[in-house]
Amino acid sequence: MLLEDVPLQIFADRCVQVCFVLFWGIFILSAFLAQSTTIWPDYAEQIMTAEFIEQLESMFANEISGRSMNDDLAMAGFYIYNNTGIGLQCFAGGVLVVPGIYITVSNAALLGASFGYMARPDVAAGENFFHFVTAHGPFELTAIVLAAGAGLRIGWSWVRTNGLTRPASLRKAGQESMPVMGASMVLFFLAALIEGFLSPSVVPYVLKAMVAIACSALLMVYFVVLVMPRSSRHAIR
């Protein structure tokens, strides 16, 4: 596989596309329902539980005030470890297909509800929450989608072999999923660095928002723009 085909292989993978639509569709719907207090008043409490909401509000009750360099280093290491665990969970669940879909939907619903609830105008901690999560959000959320897609690619190879034996289909799927999982791990790592150093800093929110926009633009260019002219010829089925 040529290096220039790596972004193409990731974007064109049908399993990645399925996980992308599934994750972001549930995320946006969940955020909308959690933000609204009229459409489904108890939605946020049912998805996150009252204890989780209380913990979330308590965690972001105080303004972002920065940390020492040693604390930033320690937390960056923790985030790398934690993100790796999330990625492996999404990947392992995808290998079994149904658990992978469940994990993807559950993560999307919980994260979406968290964003939606904290966006309510009457939630005092909401501003601090978005001050913290905005910068690293694009990389971290995209990494979850890619990890789920990589696992689903392998899991689906047991269901649809395209005329190959199941071991051969599994080997082929393993090769196809390597660039996807590799990209996921890179994004989890970069998200952890941003979360460890930039997110808790006292840098103005507008700069963090600019970082998020830049990260989103980079992802768009890498996964979409670079492959559009060739995607119809190389799509992975």
Short mmCIF file of all heavy atoms in Angstrom, two decimals, residues 205-234:
data_model
loop_
_atom_site.label_atom_id
_atom_site.label_comp_id
_atom_site.label_asym_id
_atom_site.label_seq_id
_atom_site.Cartn_x
_atom_site.Cartn_y
_atom_site.Cartn_z
N TYR A 205 -10.36 31.56 25.77
CA TYR A 205 -11.19 30.56 25.09
C TYR A 205 -11.13 30.71 23.57
O TYR A 205 -11.16 29.71 22.85
CB TYR A 205 -12.64 30.66 25.55
CG TYR A 205 -13.54 29.67 24.84
CD1 TYR A 205 -13.53 28.33 25.19
CD2 TYR A 205 -14.37 30.09 23.80
CE1 TYR A 205 -14.34 27.41 24.53
CE2 TYR A 205 -15.18 29.18 23.14
CZ TYR A 205 -15.17 27.84 23.50
OH TYR A 205 -15.96 26.93 22.84
N VAL A 206 -11.03 31.91 23.08
CA VAL A 206 -11.02 32.13 21.64
C VAL A 206 -9.83 31.41 21.00
O VAL A 206 -9.95 30.88 19.88
CB VAL A 206 -11.00 33.64 21.30
CG1 VAL A 206 -9.71 34.30 21.79
CG2 VAL A 206 -11.17 33.86 19.81
N LEU A 207 -8.71 31.35 21.69
CA LEU A 207 -7.54 30.65 21.15
C LEU A 207 -7.77 29.14 21.15
O LEU A 207 -7.35 28.44 20.22
CB LEU A 207 -6.30 31.02 21.94
CG LEU A 207 -5.84 32.48 21.85
CD1 LEU A 207 -4.58 32.70 22.67
CD2 LEU A 207 -5.59 32.86 20.38
N LYS A 208 -8.41 28.65 22.20
CA LYS A 208 -8.73 27.22 22.24
C LYS A 208 -9.71 26.86 21.13
O LYS A 208 -9.61 25.79 20.52
CB LYS A 208 -9.29 26.85 23.61
CG LYS A 208 -8.29 27.00 24.75
CD LYS A 208 -8.89 26.59 26.09
CE LYS A 208 -7.87 26.73 27.21
NZ LYS A 208 -8.41 26.30 28.53
N ALA A 209 -10.67 27.74 20.90
CA ALA A 209 -11.61 27.52 19.82
C ALA A 209 -10.91 27.51 18.47
O ALA A 209 -11.25 26.72 17.57
CB ALA A 209 -12.71 28.58 19.84
N MET A 210 -9.92 28.38 18.31
CA MET A 210 -9.15 28.41 17.06
C MET A 210 -8.37 27.13 16.87
O MET A 210 -8.24 26.63 15.74
CB MET A 210 -8.22 29.63 17.06
CG MET A 210 -8.94 30.96 16.93
SD MET A 210 -7.82 32.38 17.07
CE MET A 210 -6.78 32.13 15.63
N VAL A 211 -7.84 26.57 17.95
CA VAL A 211 -7.14 25.28 17.87
C VAL A 211 -8.12 24.19 17.43
O VAL A 211 -7.78 23.36 16.58
CB VAL A 211 -6.50 24.93 19.23
CG1 VAL A 211 -6.00 23.48 19.22
CG2 VAL A 211 -5.35 25.87 19.54
N ALA A 212 -9.32 24.19 18.00
CA ALA A 212 -10.33 23.20 17.63
C ALA A 212 -10.70 23.33 16.15
O ALA A 212 -10.85 22.32 15.45
CB ALA A 212 -11.57 23.38 18.50
N ILE A 213 -10.85 24.56 15.68
CA ILE A 213 -11.18 24.78 14.27
C ILE A 213 -10.04 24.31 13.38
O ILE A 213 -10.26 23.66 12.35
CB ILE A 213 -11.47 26.28 14.02
CG1 ILE A 213 -12.76 26.68 14.74
CG2 ILE A 213 -11.58 26.57 12.53
CD1 ILE A 213 -13.04 28.17 14.72
N ALA A 214 -8.80 24.60 13.79
CA ALA A 214 -7.64 24.18 13.01
C ALA A 214 -7.55 22.65 12.97
O ALA A 214 -7.27 22.06 11.91
CB ALA A 214 -6.36 24.77 13.59
N CYS A 215 -7.79 21.99 14.10
CA CYS A 215 -7.76 20.53 14.15
C CYS A 215 -8.85 19.93 13.26
O CYS A 215 -8.63 18.96 12.54
CB CYS A 215 -7.93 20.05 15.58
SG CYS A 215 -6.54 20.41 16.68
N SER A 216 -10.04 20.52 13.32
CA SER A 216 -11.15 20.05 12.50
C SER A 216 -10.85 20.23 11.02
O SER A 216 -11.15 19.35 10.20
CB SER A 216 -12.43 20.79 12.87
OG SER A 216 -12.78 20.59 14.22
N ALA A 217 -10.25 21.36 10.67
CA ALA A 217 -9.89 21.61 9.28
C ALA A 217 -8.84 20.62 8.80
O ALA A 217 -8.91 20.12 7.67
CB ALA A 217 -9.40 23.04 9.12
N LEU A 218 -7.87 20.32 9.66
CA LEU A 218 -6.83 19.36 9.32
C LEU A 218 -7.43 17.97 9.07
O LEU A 218 -7.07 17.29 8.11
CB LEU A 218 -5.79 19.29 10.44
CG LEU A 218 -4.62 18.33 10.23
CD1 LEU A 218 -3.80 18.75 9.01
CD2 LEU A 218 -3.73 18.29 11.48
N LEU A 219 -8.35 17.57 9.93
CA LEU A 219 -9.01 16.29 9.75
C LEU A 219 -9.82 16.26 8.45
O LEU A 219 -9.82 15.26 7.72
CB LEU A 219 -9.94 16.01 10.93
CG LEU A 219 -9.26 15.73 12.28
CD1 LEU A 219 -10.29 15.71 13.40
CD2 LEU A 219 -8.49 14.42 12.24
N MET A 220 -10.50 17.35 8.16
CA MET A 220 -11.30 17.44 6.94
C MET A 220 -10.41 17.32 5.70
O MET A 220 -10.73 16.57 4.76
CB MET A 220 -12.05 18.77 6.91
CG MET A 220 -12.97 18.94 5.71
SD MET A 220 -14.40 17.85 5.77
CE MET A 220 -15.31 18.57 7.15
N VAL A 221 -9.29 18.01 5.71
CA VAL A 221 -8.38 17.96 4.57
C VAL A 221 -7.81 16.56 4.41
O VAL A 221 -7.77 16.00 3.31
CB VAL A 221 -7.24 18.99 4.74
CG1 VAL A 221 -6.15 18.77 3.70
CG2 VAL A 221 -7.79 20.40 4.60
N TYR A 222 -7.38 15.96 5.51
CA TYR A 222 -6.71 14.66 5.45
C TYR A 222 -7.65 13.54 5.04
O TYR A 222 -7.32 12.70 4.20
CB TYR A 222 -6.07 14.34 6.80
CG TYR A 222 -5.24 13.08 6.78
CD1 TYR A 222 -3.98 13.06 6.18
CD2 TYR A 222 -5.71 11.89 7.34
CE1 TYR A 222 -3.21 11.92 6.15
CE2 TYR A 222 -4.95 10.73 7.32
CZ TYR A 222 -3.70 10.75 6.73
OH TYR A 222 -2.96 9.61 6.70
N PHE A 223 -8.84 13.51 5.66
CA PHE A 223 -9.73 12.39 5.43
C PHE A 223 -10.72 12.59 4.30
O PHE A 223 -11.33 11.63 3.82
CB PHE A 223 -10.52 12.08 6.71
CG PHE A 223 -9.67 11.52 7.81
CD1 PHE A 223 -9.58 12.17 9.03
CD2 PHE A 223 -8.95 10.36 7.63
CE1 PHE A 223 -8.78 11.66 10.05
CE2 PHE A 223 -8.16 9.84 8.64
CZ PHE A 223 -8.08 10.49 9.85
N VAL A 224 -10.93 13.83 3.87
CA VAL A 224 -11.95 14.08 2.85
C VAL A 224 -11.36 14.68 1.59
O VAL A 224 -11.41 14.08 0.51
CB VAL A 224 -13.07 15.00 3.41
CG1 VAL A 224 -14.11 15.26 2.34
CG2 VAL A 224 -13.71 14.37 4.64
N VAL A 225 -10.77 15.85 1.69
CA VAL A 225 -10.32 16.58 0.51
C VAL A 225 -9.27 15.81 -0.27
O VAL A 225 -9.31 15.74 -1.50
CB VAL A 225 -9.78 17.97 0.91
CG1 VAL A 225 -9.23 18.70 -0.32
CG2 VAL A 225 -10.87 18.79 1.58
N LEU A 226 -8.31 15.18 0.44
CA LEU A 226 -7.23 14.48 -0.25
C LEU A 226 -7.71 13.27 -1.04
O LEU A 226 -7.03 12.82 -1.97
CB LEU A 226 -6.17 14.02 0.77
CG LEU A 226 -5.33 15.12 1.42
CD1 LEU A 226 -4.31 14.51 2.38
CD2 LEU A 226 -4.61 15.96 0.38
N VAL A 227 -8.87 12.72 -0.69
CA VAL A 227 -9.28 11.47 -1.31
C VAL A 227 -10.46 11.60 -2.25
O VAL A 227 -10.78 10.65 -2.96
CB VAL A 227 -9.63 10.42 -0.23
CG1 VAL A 227 -8.50 10.25 0.75
CG2 VAL A 227 -10.90 10.80 0.50
N MET A 228 -11.11 12.74 -2.27
CA MET A 228 -12.32 12.87 -3.09
C MET A 228 -12.12 12.54 -4.56
O MET A 228 -12.94 11.85 -5.15
CB MET A 228 -12.90 14.27 -2.93
CG MET A 228 -13.57 14.50 -1.59
SD MET A 228 -14.29 16.15 -1.42
CE MET A 228 -15.61 16.07 -2.64
N PRO A 229 -11.02 12.95 -5.21
CA PRO A 229 -10.88 12.64 -6.63
C PRO A 229 -10.74 11.16 -6.93
O PRO A 229 -11.00 10.72 -8.04
CB PRO A 229 -9.60 13.40 -7.02
CG PRO A 229 -9.44 14.45 -5.98
CD PRO A 229 -9.96 13.83 -4.73
N ARG A 230 -10.30 10.36 -5.91
CA ARG A 230 -10.03 8.95 -6.18
C ARG A 230 -10.93 8.00 -5.43
O ARG A 230 -10.84 6.79 -5.61
CB ARG A 230 -8.57 8.63 -5.82
CG ARG A 230 -7.54 9.41 -6.61
CD ARG A 230 -6.16 9.18 -6.02
NE ARG A 230 -6.07 9.78 -4.68
CZ ARG A 230 -5.14 9.45 -3.80
NH1 ARG A 230 -4.25 8.53 -4.09
NH2 ARG A 230 -5.10 10.04 -2.62
N SER A 231 -11.79 8.51 -4.57
CA SER A 231 -12.56 7.64 -3.68
C SER A 231 -13.46 6.66 -4.42
O SER A 231 -13.66 5.53 -3.99
CB SER A 231 -13.40 8.47 -2.70
OG SER A 231 -14.29 9.31 -3.41
N SER A 232 -14.03 7.08 -5.54
CA SER A 232 -14.95 6.20 -6.27
C SER A 232 -14.25 5.01 -6.88
O SER A 232 -14.86 3.99 -7.15
CB SER A 232 -15.66 6.99 -7.36
OG SER A 232 -14.72 7.51 -8.30
N ARG A 233 -12.92 5.13 -7.08
CA ARG A 233 -12.18 4.04 -7.72
C ARG A 233 -11.62 3.06 -6.71
O ARG A 233 -11.30 1.93 -7.04
CB ARG A 233 -11.03 4.60 -8.58
CG ARG A 233 -11.51 5.40 -9.77
CD ARG A 233 -10.34 5.80 -10.67
NE ARG A 233 -9.47 6.78 -10.06
CZ ARG A 233 -8.23 6.56 -9.68
NH1 ARG A 233 -7.72 5.35 -9.77
NH2 ARG A 233 -7.50 7.52 -9.16
N HIS A 234 -11.44 3.52 -5.45
CA HIS A 234 -10.71 2.69 -4.49
C HIS A 234 -11.54 2.33 -3.27
O HIS A 234 -11.00 1.83 -2.29
CB HIS A 234 -9.45 3.42 -4.00
CG HIS A 234 -8.45 3.66 -5.08
ND1 HIS A 234 -7.52 2.71 -5.43
CD2 HIS A 234 -8.22 4.76 -5.88
CE1 HIS A 234 -6.75 3.21 -6.41
NE2 HIS A 234 -7.15 4.43 -6.69
#
